[in-house]
Amino acid sequence: MDIFLQQIINGLVQGSIYALVALGYTMVYGIMGLINFAHGEVVMIGALISITVTSTLAAAGMPLGLAGLFGLVAAMLTCMALGWSLERIAYRPLRGSPRLTPLITAIGMSIVLQNLAMIFWGRNYMTFPPLLPKVNFEFAGTHFTLVQVVIVLLSAALMAGLVFLVYRTKLGMAMRATAQNPAVASLMGVNINRVIASAFVIGSALAAVAGVMVGSYYEIAHYQMGFMLGLKAFTAAVLGGIGNLAGAMAGGILLGIIEALGAGYIGDFTGGFLGSHYQDIFAFVVLIVVLMFKPSGLFGEKTGDRA
Amino acid sequence: MLEVTGLHVAYGGIQAVRSITFHVNEGETVALIGANGAGKTTTLKAISRMVGATGDVHFCGEKILGISPHEIIRKGIALVPEGRGVFPRLSVLENLRMGAFVRDDKAAIADDIERMYAYFPRLKERADQLAGTLSGGEQQMLAIGRALMSRPKMLLLDEPSMGLAPIMVQKIFEVVRNVAAAGMTILLIEQNAKLALESSQRAYVLESGEITLNGDSAELLHDPKVKAAYLGE
Ligand SMILES: Nc1ncnc2c1ncn2[C@@H]1O[C@H](COP(=O)(O)OP(=O)(O)OP(=O)(O)O)[C@@H](O)[C@H]1O
Ligand SMILES: [Mg+2]
């Protein structure tokens, strides 16, 4: 039983990170029907920027906590600028072209960003500075750390903030209207370009935070870290129903838990043949199963219903 | 108030609107009638900048053919699009608020929402319902209410009677006439020529992208050619 509860907790932590990244996929898809495959790379850039800024400031004598805060803010600002530029440079010129064109461009951008990161930061794994004191908690036979608690709480706060933005503000209403009928939204005075750009910018800010979270959780970062994370977050978005905010959140957390439980029990299931390092297969089994049996996802509308 | 001169729209090789010229004076209701495919919707789309066009469009003396689509409503032109175009997954209230997107005067917006509810009590009952679940007639009411929420100087209506039962058409047109009586300038597009001519002061007849007739609506109602082609008499 302990391992069950423990894995639920671990899954919740990992799932919160997936959810933050999945929101970026789903917002852009919801508004313009584009799967921004470069989104995982935005997470990676966020993590690497935050390492560089944090360690530079810490080396200059700033207390680590404060340096980490600056690192986080720098990562968010950089990623917001990056998300904005991606839309402006890579996707906007292709608006109105067949769907495959921006999709291939997105894959291209993802490769470009990985290579740029490799040039700037090198091929080696980088150690992520410990931003938070190592505090351990014990509860009902399970163990967890301060980092894990902060990840879950911060993700929850950001998601609540996003829900507020989308459902309670004028910008959010304009985003929903644009997703449903861009031509009519612009008749109402909505500047469609600005709404699309803000979806990229907001999604990228969340991605930056997710990058810092993964970095502090696993204490390493690497120019290829965005690839697998991006695929899994995309899976989470599809699981929840891509284009749907609640779906991305639920899909992220669910995927995290499925993975953690899978990793926890895979040894038992296979008589020790497969170890927990095979946990990555679960995400893709989930993706395949969803695509086969409920391609619109758990919360999604029927496919093609996007106005 | 609205002056359209030599407006021309082509979709690829198809000449949908061929150099048409017409105008709408302040406070007037002008009808633009014509058969399917005559180019009525295209004309409205060109004025509201949803399709590219050549020629000249002046509104209140200002050239508007070069501005962005989202600027049109700020000039005071509100369009009720063909097929209503309500936001299906926004509530009725949110759709009305979208109509007031360009406004910042919160108190006056709240008053106007109440005013729309007075025009269309049905909308008040459904305020929190998703617009996509409304009936066609209710959606048309919402689309008109939404357009009025911007406090426009001029209203462009694209076939408000389309697909509605006669009783609903009566209701919608009653509101249109009330709005007109309150001083609104209206360009009304209709296939239902009789209704359009009865609800307007002047009218233009559009055929295959060209204006073939124009005049006082009351006279056109008795014009033999109009009678034969559009009134089924
Ligand atoms: N997006 C488009 N691409 C190509 N041709 C178009 C497009 N939109 C309209 N047309 C063509 O332009 C012509 C005028 O169409 P329009 O929609 O303006 O007609 P309408 O008078 O509004 O007709 P209806 O009463 O059926 O709404 C038609 O021949 C139509 O096929
Ligand atoms: Mg039409």
Side-chain angles (χ1 to χ4, degrees):
Chain A
M1 207 54 212
D2 282 356
I3 176 161
F4 182 75
L5 212 56
Q6 182 68 54
Q7 290 306 76
I8 295 266
I9 289 175
N10 294 346
L12 187 64
V13 175
Q14 185 63 53
S16 304
I17 297 173
Y18 290 155
L20 284 186
V21 183
L23 284 169
Y25 278 103
T26 233
M27 276 205 291
V28 165
Y29 184 86
I31 289 185
M32 54 188 301
L34 164 74
I35 294 168
N36 174 20
F37 269 122
H39 191 57
E41 269 53 59
V42 178
V43 179
M44 173 272 292
I45 300 276
L48 295 181
I49 291 276
S50 106
I51 292 194
T52 302
V53 171
T54 306
S55 29
T56 309
L57 291 178
M62 189 182 276
L64 195 54
L66 192 60
L69 200 60
F70 273 102
L72 176 68
V73 171
M76 289 174 75
L77 293 176
T78 311
C79 288
M80 286 159 90
L82 178 61
W84 185 86
S85 317
L86 274 178
E87 192 274 324
R88 197 61 248 266
I89 298 165
Y91 303 132
R92 193 180 299 181
L94 298 175
R95 226 179 280 159
S97 53
R99 278 195 176 198
L100 205 52
T101 315
L103 190 68
I104 291 169
T105 307
I107 295 170
M109 291 318 292
S110 150
I111 295 170
V112 167
L113 290 175
Q114 268 191 41
N115 281 282
L116 284 178
M118 187 186 73
I119 293 168
F120 279 125
W121 283 284
R123 292 166 165 280
N124 297 326
Y125 281 87
M126 299 171 72
T127 324
F128 212 91
L131 301 180
L132 294 170
K134 290 211 187 302
V135 182
N136 291 297
F137 302 95
E138 214 185 312
F139 174 75
T142 60
H143 297 266
F144 47 93
T145 64
L146 181 61
V147 174
Q148 290 183 309
V149 173
V150 170
I151 288 177
V152 172
L153 293 183
L154 184 56
S155 305
L158 288 172
M159 288 190 248
L162 184 69
V163 168
F164 180 83
L165 175 86
V166 171
Y167 289 97
R168 288 283 177 274
T169 68
K170 209 167 156 178
L171 172 63
M173 188 166 71
M175 291 172 100
R176 286 179 291 139
T178 303
Q180 294 171 34
N181 192 337
V184 176
S186 81
L187 283 178
M188 304 292 122
V190 177
N191 184 339
I192 303 298
N193 284 333
R194 203 174 292 166
V195 166
I196 291 177
S198 51
F200 272 87
V201 168
I202 295 166
S204 302
L206 296 179
V209 179
V212 176
M213 286 178 176
V214 199
S216 346
Y217 191 24
Y218 296 107
E219 298 176 351
I220 49 170
H222 185 233
Y223 76 99
Q224 283 179 329
M225 67 187 274
F227 178 72
M228 189 58 93
L229 184 63
L231 271 185
K232 289 195 185 163
F234 169 69
T235 303
V238 172
L239 172 61
I242 192 152
N244 182 304
L245 287 192
M249 300 180 205
I253 291 182
L254 205 58
L255 186 69
I257 291 176
I258 292 173
E259 249 188 21
L261 288 178
Y265 290 108
I266 190 170
D268 297 348
F269 286 153
T270 60
F273 181 65
L274 295 178
S276 63
H277 49 283
Y278 277 92
Q279 67 162 350
D280 286 348
I281 65 170
F282 291 101
F284 303 109
V285 169
V286 167
L287 181 61
I288 291 165
V289 169
V290 171
L291 289 178
M292 276 168 63
F293 295 106
K294 197 159 188 322
S296 57
L298 299 177
F299 290 65
E301 292 100 16
K302 287 184 251 23
T303 33
D305 187 39
R306 217 188 60 85
Chain B
M1 183 172 226
L2 179 74
E3 284 185 55
V4 175
T5 322
L7 186 74
H8 198 93
V9 185
Y11 296 108
I14 305 166
Q15 313 281 315
V17 171
R18 304 159 194 248
S19 291
I20 61 170
T21 297
F22 68 94
H23 69 276
V24 182
N25 298 319
E26 186 163 359
E28 233 183 353
T29 298
V30 170
L32 187 60
I33 58 179
N36 287 115
K40 306 180 297 292
T41 298
T42 302
T43 303
L44 284 200
K45 283 189 170 171
I47 295 170
S48 55
R49 301 289 300 128
M50 292 164 79
V51 297
T54 56
D56 241 335
V57 179
H58 286 260
F59 183 69
C60 298
E62 192 184 345
K63 192 177 161 75
I64 58 166
L65 207 57
I67 68 177
S68 312
H70 65 265
E71 294 294 336
I72 287 291
I73 197 165
R74 292 181 171 83
K75 301 292 178 201
I77 301 180
L79 173 69
V80 179
E82 182 170 37
R84 295 109 199 182
V86 299
F87 300 110
R89 277 167 280 120
L90 296 189
S91 70
V92 167
L93 179 60
E94 285 176 322
N95 267 276
L96 291 175
R97 288 194 185 288
M98 276 310 294
F101 185 78
V102 294
R103 294 171 54 188
D104 282 319
D105 43 346
K106 284 212 172 94
I109 292 175
D111 287 348
D112 282 354
I113 288 176
E114 287 309 317
R115 210 154 53 82
M116 294 312 135
Y117 287 161
Y119 274 140
F120 304 110
R122 189 69 70 86
L123 296 183
K124 183 169 192 165
E125 294 163 25
R126 317 259 145 132
D128 297 319
Q129 194 170 319
L130 293 187
T133 64
L134 298 179
S135 76
E138 291 161 353
Q139 292 191 11
Q140 189 66 60
M141 295 174 180
L142 180 56
I144 294 175
R146 183 180 63 181
L148 291 172
M149 283 301 296
S150 66
R151 289 207 175 165
K153 294 183 191 139
M154 180 170 186
L155 205 53
L156 310 181
L157 294 168
D158 195 344
E159 293 203 43
S161 75
M162 188 166 74
L164 302 185
I167 182 132
M168 192 54 93
V169 174
Q170 287 307 321
K171 266 194 202 164
I172 299 274
F173 270 78
E174 199 184 297
V175 172
V176 171
R177 279 183 223 126
N178 287 342
V179 170
M184 181 68 69
T185 309
I186 298 177
L187 177 59
L188 170 66
I189 286 196
E190 261 302 335
Q191 271 195 57
N192 185 335
K194 185 161 184 288
L195 195 58
L197 293 174
E198 284 169 357
S199 317
S200 57
Q201 284 90 55
R202 289 190 305 117
Y204 294 85
V205 177
L206 196 60
E207 274 174 48
S208 310
E210 283 171 294
I211 289 176
T212 51
L213 266 180
N214 74 84
D216 286 343
S217 301
E219 285 169 25
L220 287 175
L221 262 175
H222 299 103
D223 185 290
K225 273 180 285 179
V226 173
K227 272 185 167 174
Y230 299 102
L231 301 176
E233 291 173 23

